[in-house]
Amino acid sequence: MRNAARLLLLLLLAVPATGKAFDAQTYLQIQDASGKVLFALAVKNGSMFGIRFIHSVAKSPVEDWYGIENGTIFLEKTIYQDFGAGLPHEPGPGQSMACANGYVTISGFHRQLASFDVRVGRIAGHALLLPAMDGQQGMIPLNSLAPPGNALTFTTSSVALQ
């Protein structure tokens, strides 16, 4: 019943006095293994977010960047310093590779993901990267959402909380 009341309130807020509904809002959500929403953020079409971690073999930082397009997550690019297990080493069809300032960037993946999981590392220091309005980057350590060893699911939703 509580979820139904929340949904009704959201629907009422989305319909102004003119009777026309606003454009549907998309939320980036992080859920635990039980499906409980631990983090939700309203995002616009074209928004980007990243996941930063320390590679287990290369011991150097890796960033995977994702875009939100029409309510769907797309893997867009990977940035790293040193080649390591599981990292792309050459661009595929439609992708490009650039090297600058000691980093390799492979972009052009545009791989659609309904959702994806990240297991919070004990040493990897996984963090959610959020570009801020003022050009500064916000960072949320994933171990602040769940203890190391736990899996977190990244997904999108049209409802902020479950």
Side-chain angles (χ1 to χ4, degrees):
M1 184 65 175
R2 198 164 118 173
N3 286 338
R6 234 186 252 161
L7 181 58
L8 179 60
L9 178 61
L10 286 172
L11 289 173
L12 289 173
L13 292 174
V15 181
T18 63
K20 293 182 180 178
F22 293 119
D23 291 337
Q25 179 64 62
T26 298
Y27 295 89
L28 171 64
Q29 291 187 342
I30 303 175
Q31 302 170 348
D32 66 12
S34 73
K36 179 182 177 188
V37 176
L38 304 174
F39 176 86
L41 176 70
V43 292
K44 294 180 180 178
N45 201 37
S47 295
M48 298 284 292
F49 69 95
I51 304 292
R52 177 184 292 155
F53 62 96
I54 301 301
H55 191 277
S56 63
V57 176
K59 304 294 186 209
S60 59
V62 175
E63 292 182 5
D64 290 326
W65 282 90
Y66 303 84
I68 305 288
E69 190 176 304
N70 299 319
T72 303
I73 298 172
F74 288 84
L75 172 63
E76 297 296 349
K77 65 183 175 181
T78 297
I79 304 169
Y80 56 89
Q81 284 182 314
D82 302 304
F83 290 104
L87 295 175
H89 61 279
E90 62 184 6
Q95 299 172 356
S96 63
M97 178 183 235
C99 298
N101 301 321
Y103 287 88
V104 174
T105 300
I106 298 184
S107 57
F109 290 100
H110 202 63
R111 183 176 305 144
Q112 184 175 342
L113 305 166
S115 65
F116 67 92
D117 294 335
V118 173
R119 187 163 300 277
V120 180
R122 298 183 195 297
I123 298 171
H126 289 95
L128 172 63
L129 304 176
L130 298 167
M133 299 266 223
D134 60 5
Q136 297 296 314
Q137 192 172 52
M139 185 172 80
I140 300 170
L142 294 187
N143 65 6
S144 70
L145 300 177
N150 287 4
L152 297 176
T153 300
F154 287 72
T155 190
T156 56
S157 176
S158 60
V159 179
L161 300 173
Q162 293 180 348

Coordinates of all heavy atoms in Angstrom, one line a residue, residues 36-81:
K36 N 16.7 -3.6 -3.0 CA 16.6 -2.4 -2.3 C 17.4 -1.3 -3.0 O 18.6 -1.4 -3.2 CB 17.0 -2.5 -0.8 CG 16.9 -1.3 0.0 CD 17.4 -1.5 1.4 CE 17.3 -0.2 2.2 NZ 17.9 -0.3 3.5
V37 N 16.7 -0.1 -3.2 CA 17.4 1.0 -3.8 C 18.2 1.7 -2.8 O 17.7 2.2 -1.7 CB 16.4 2.0 -4.4 CG1 17.1 3.2 -5.0 CG2 15.6 1.3 -5.5
L38 N 19.6 1.8 -3.0 CA 20.5 2.4 -2.1 C 20.8 3.8 -2.5 O 21.3 4.6 -1.7 CB 21.8 1.6 -2.0 CG 21.6 0.1 -1.6 CD1 22.9 -0.6 -1.7 CD2 21.0 0.0 -0.2
F39 N 20.6 4.1 -3.8 CA 21.0 5.4 -4.4 C 20.1 5.7 -5.6 O 19.9 4.7 -6.4 CB 22.5 5.4 -4.8 CG 22.9 6.7 -5.5 CD1 23.3 7.8 -4.7 CD2 22.9 6.8 -6.9 CE1 23.8 8.9 -5.4 CE2 23.3 7.9 -7.5 CZ 23.8 9.0 -6.8
A40 N 19.6 6.9 -5.7 CA 18.8 7.2 -6.9 C 19.1 8.7 -7.2 O 19.2 9.5 -6.3 CB 17.3 7.0 -6.7
L41 N 19.3 8.9 -8.5 CA 19.6 10.3 -9.0 C 18.8 10.6 -10.3 O 18.9 9.8 -11.2 CB 21.1 10.4 -9.2 CG 21.6 11.8 -9.8 CD1 21.4 12.9 -8.7 CD2 23.0 11.6 -10.2
A42 N 18.1 11.7 -10.3 CA 17.4 12.1 -11.5 C 18.5 12.4 -12.6 O 19.4 13.2 -12.3 CB 16.5 13.3 -11.3
V43 N 18.3 11.9 -13.8 CA 19.3 12.1 -14.8 C 18.5 12.6 -16.1 O 17.4 12.2 -16.3 CB 20.1 10.9 -15.2 CG1 21.1 10.6 -14.0 CG2 19.3 9.7 -15.5
K44 N 19.2 13.4 -16.9 CA 18.6 13.8 -18.2 C 19.2 13.0 -19.3 O 20.2 12.3 -19.2 CB 19.1 15.3 -18.4 CG 18.5 16.3 -17.4 CD 18.9 17.7 -17.7 CE 18.4 18.6 -16.7 NZ 18.8 20.0 -17.0
N45 N 18.4 13.0 -20.4 CA 18.9 12.3 -21.6 C 20.2 12.9 -22.0 O 20.4 14.1 -22.0 CB 17.9 12.5 -22.7 CG 18.0 11.5 -23.8 OD1 18.2 10.3 -23.5 ND2 17.8 11.9 -25.0
G46 N 21.2 12.0 -22.2 CA 22.6 12.5 -22.6 C 23.5 12.6 -21.4 O 24.7 12.9 -21.5
S47 N 23.0 12.4 -20.2 CA 23.8 12.4 -18.9 C 24.9 11.3 -19.0 O 24.7 10.3 -19.6 CB 23.0 12.2 -17.7 OG 22.1 13.2 -17.5
M48 N 26.0 11.6 -18.4 CA 27.1 10.6 -18.3 C 27.4 10.3 -16.8 O 27.2 11.2 -16.0 CB 28.4 11.1 -18.9 CG 28.2 11.4 -20.4 SD 28.3 9.9 -21.5 CE 30.0 9.4 -21.3
F49 N 27.9 9.1 -16.5 CA 28.4 8.8 -15.2 C 29.5 7.8 -15.4 O 29.6 7.1 -16.4 CB 27.3 8.3 -14.2 CG 26.8 6.9 -14.6 CD1 27.3 5.8 -14.0 CD2 25.7 6.8 -15.5 CE1 26.8 4.5 -14.3 CE2 25.2 5.5 -15.8 CZ 25.8 4.4 -15.2
G50 N 30.4 7.7 -14.4 CA 31.5 6.8 -14.5 C 31.7 5.9 -13.3 O 31.1 6.2 -12.3
I51 N 32.4 4.8 -13.5 CA 32.8 3.9 -12.4 C 34.4 3.9 -12.4 O 34.9 3.5 -13.5 CB 32.3 2.5 -12.6 CG1 30.8 2.5 -12.7 CG2 32.8 1.6 -11.4 CD1 30.0 2.9 -11.5
R52 N 35.0 4.3 -11.3 CA 36.4 4.3 -11.2 C 36.8 3.2 -10.3 O 36.2 3.0 -9.3 CB 37.0 5.6 -10.7 CG 38.5 5.6 -10.5 CD 39.0 6.9 -9.9 NE 38.8 8.0 -10.8 CZ 38.7 9.2 -10.5 NH1 38.8 9.6 -9.2 NH2 38.6 10.2 -11.4
F53 N 37.9 2.5 -10.6 CA 38.5 1.5 -9.7 C 40.0 1.3 -10.0 O 40.5 1.8 -11.1 CB 37.7 0.1 -9.9 CG 37.8 -0.5 -11.3 CD1 38.8 -1.4 -11.6 CD2 37.0 -0.1 -12.3 CE1 38.9 -2.0 -12.8 CE2 37.0 -0.6 -13.6 CZ 38.0 -1.6 -13.8
I54 N 40.6 0.6 -9.1 CA 42.1 0.3 -9.3 C 42.1 -1.1 -9.9 O 41.6 -2.0 -9.3 CB 42.8 0.4 -8.0 CG1 42.8 1.8 -7.4 CG2 44.3 0.0 -8.2 CD1 43.3 2.9 -8.3
H55 N 42.8 -1.3 -11.0 CA 42.9 -2.6 -11.7 C 43.6 -3.6 -10.8 O 44.7 -3.2 -10.2 CB 43.5 -2.4 -13.0 CG 43.4 -3.7 -13.9 ND1 44.3 -4.7 -13.8 CD2 42.6 -4.0 -14.9 CE1 44.0 -5.7 -14.6 NE2 42.9 -5.2 -15.3
S56 N 43.1 -4.8 -10.6 CA 43.7 -5.7 -9.7 C 45.1 -6.2 -10.1 O 45.9 -6.6 -9.2 CB 42.8 -7.0 -9.6 OG 42.7 -7.6 -10.8
V57 N 45.5 -6.2 -11.4 CA 46.8 -6.6 -11.8 C 47.7 -5.4 -12.1 O 48.8 -5.3 -11.6 CB 46.7 -7.5 -13.1 CG1 48.0 -7.9 -13.6 CG2 45.9 -8.8 -12.8
A58 N 47.2 -4.5 -12.9 CA 48.0 -3.3 -13.3 C 48.2 -2.4 -12.1 O 49.1 -1.6 -12.2 CB 47.4 -2.6 -14.5
K59 N 47.3 -2.4 -11.1 CA 47.4 -1.5 -10.0 C 47.3 0.0 -10.3 O 47.9 0.8 -9.7 CB 48.6 -1.8 -9.1 CG 48.8 -3.2 -8.6 CD 47.7 -3.6 -7.7 CE 48.0 -5.0 -7.1 NZ 46.8 -5.7 -6.8
S60 N 46.6 0.3 -11.4 CA 46.5 1.6 -11.9 C 45.0 1.9 -12.1 O 44.2 1.0 -12.2 CB 47.3 1.9 -13.1 OG 46.8 1.0 -14.2
P61 N 44.6 3.2 -12.1 CA 43.2 3.5 -12.2 C 42.6 3.2 -13.6 O 43.2 3.3 -14.6 CB 43.1 5.0 -11.9 CG 44.5 5.5 -12.2 CD 45.4 4.4 -12.0
V62 N 41.3 2.8 -13.5 CA 40.5 2.5 -14.7 C 39.2 3.3 -14.5 O 38.6 3.3 -13.4 CB 40.2 1.0 -14.9 CG1 39.3 0.8 -16.1 CG2 41.5 0.2 -15.1
E63 N 38.7 3.9 -15.6 CA 37.4 4.5 -15.6 C 36.5 4.0 -16.7 O 37.0 4.0 -17.9 CB 37.4 6.0 -15.7 CG 38.1 6.7 -14.5 CD 38.1 8.2 -14.5 OE1 37.5 8.8 -15.5 OE2 38.7 8.8 -13.6
D64 N 35.4 3.5 -16.4 CA 34.4 3.1 -17.4 C 33.3 4.2 -17.4 O 32.8 4.5 -16.3 CB 33.8 1.7 -17.2 CG 34.7 0.6 -17.4 OD1 35.6 0.7 -18.2 OD2 34.6 -0.4 -16.6
W65 N 33.0 4.8 -18.6 CA 32.0 5.8 -18.7 C 30.8 5.4 -19.4 O 30.9 4.7 -20.4 CB 32.6 7.1 -19.3 CG 33.5 7.8 -18.3 CD1 34.8 7.6 -18.1 CD2 33.0 8.8 -17.4 NE1 35.2 8.4 -17.1 CE2 34.1 9.2 -16.6 CE3 31.8 9.4 -17.1 CZ2 34.0 10.1 -15.6 CZ3 31.7 10.3 -16.1 CH2 32.8 10.7 -15.4
Y66 N 29.6 5.7 -18.9 CA 28.3 5.3 -19.4 C 27.5 6.5 -19.7 O 27.6 7.6 -19.0 CB 27.6 4.5 -18.3 CG 28.4 3.3 -17.8 CD1 29.3 3.4 -16.8 CD2 28.2 2.0 -18.4 CE1 30.1 2.3 -16.4 CE2 28.9 0.9 -18.0 CZ 29.9 1.1 -17.0 OH 30.6 0.0 -16.6
G67 N 26.6 6.4 -20.6 CA 25.6 7.4 -21.0 C 24.2 7.0 -20.8 O 24.0 5.8 -20.8
I68 N 23.3 7.9 -20.6 CA 21.9 7.6 -20.4 C 21.2 8.1 -21.7 O 21.3 9.3 -22.0 CB 21.3 8.3 -19.2 CG1 22.0 7.9 -17.9 CG2 19.8 7.9 -19.1 CD1 21.8 6.5 -17.4
E69 N 20.5 7.2 -22.4 CA 19.9 7.6 -23.6 C 18.5 7.0 -23.6 O 18.3 5.8 -23.6 CB 20.7 7.2 -24.8 CG 20.2 7.7 -26.1 CD 21.1 7.2 -27.3 OE1 22.4 7.5 -27.2 OE2 20.6 6.6 -28.2
N70 N 17.5 7.9 -23.6 CA 16.1 7.4 -23.6 C 15.8 6.4 -22.5 O 15.2 5.3 -22.8 CB 15.7 6.9 -25.0 CG 15.8 7.9 -26.1 OD1 15.4 9.1 -25.8 ND2 16.3 7.6 -27.2
G71 N 16.3 6.6 -21.3 CA 16.1 5.8 -20.2 C 16.9 4.5 -20.2 O 16.7 3.6 -19.3
T72 N 17.9 4.4 -21.0 CA 18.7 3.2 -21.1 C 20.2 3.5 -20.9 O 20.6 4.6 -21.3 CB 18.6 2.5 -22.5 OG1 17.2 2.2 -22.7 CG2 19.3 1.2 -22.6
I73 N 20.9 2.6 -20.2 CA 22.3 2.8 -20.0 C 23.1 2.3 -21.2 O 22.8 1.2 -21.7 CB 22.8 2.1 -18.7 CG1 22.1 2.7 -17.5 CG2 24.3 2.2 -18.5 CD1 22.3 1.9 -16.2
F74 N 24.2 3.0 -21.6 CA 25.1 2.6 -22.7 C 26.5 2.7 -22.2 O 26.9 3.8 -21.7 CB 24.9 3.4 -23.9 CG 23.6 3.1 -24.7 CD1 22.4 3.8 -24.3 CD2 23.6 2.3 -25.7 CE1 21.3 3.5 -25.0 CE2 22.4 2.0 -26.4 CZ 21.3 2.6 -26.1
L75 N 27.3 1.7 -22.3 CA 28.7 1.8 -22.1 C 29.3 2.6 -23.2 O 29.1 2.2 -24.4 CB 29.4 0.4 -22.0 CG 30.9 0.4 -21.9 CD1 31.5 1.1 -20.7 CD2 31.5 -1.0 -22.0
E76 N 30.0 3.7 -22.9 CA 30.5 4.5 -24.0 C 32.1 4.5 -24.2 O 32.6 4.4 -25.3 CB 30.1 6.0 -23.7 CG 28.6 6.2 -23.8 CD 28.0 5.9 -25.1 OE1 28.7 5.7 -26.1 OE2 26.7 5.8 -25.2
K77 N 32.8 4.5 -23.1 CA 34.3 4.5 -23.2 C 35.0 4.0 -21.9 O 34.4 3.9 -20.9 CB 34.8 5.9 -23.5 CG 34.6 6.9 -22.4 CD 35.1 8.3 -22.9 CE 34.8 9.4 -21.8 NZ 35.2 10.7 -22.3
T78 N 36.2 3.6 -22.1 CA 37.1 3.1 -21.0 C 38.4 3.9 -21.1 O 38.9 4.1 -22.2 CB 37.4 1.6 -21.2 OG1 36.2 0.9 -21.1 CG2 38.3 1.1 -20.1
I79 N 38.8 4.3 -19.9 CA 40.1 5.1 -19.8 C 41.0 4.4 -18.8 O 40.5 4.1 -17.7 CB 39.8 6.5 -19.3 CG1 38.8 7.2 -20.2 CG2 41.1 7.3 -19.2 CD1 38.2 8.6 -19.7
Y80 N 42.2 4.2 -19.2 CA 43.2 3.5 -18.3 C 44.6 3.9 -18.6 O 44.9 4.5 -19.6 CB 43.0 2.0 -18.3 CG 43.2 1.4 -19.7 CD1 44.4 1.0 -20.2 CD2 42.1 1.2 -20.5 CE1 44.6 0.4 -21.5 CE2 42.2 0.7 -21.8 CZ 43.4 0.3 -22.3 OH 43.6 -0.3 -23.5
Q81 N 45.5 3.6 -17.6 CA 46.9 4.0 -17.8 C 47.7 2.8 -18.3 O 48.5 3.0 -19.2 CB 47.5 4.3 -16.4 CG 47.1 5.7 -15.9 CD 47.8 6.0 -14.6 OE1 47.8 5.2 -13.7 NE2 48.4 7.2 -14.5

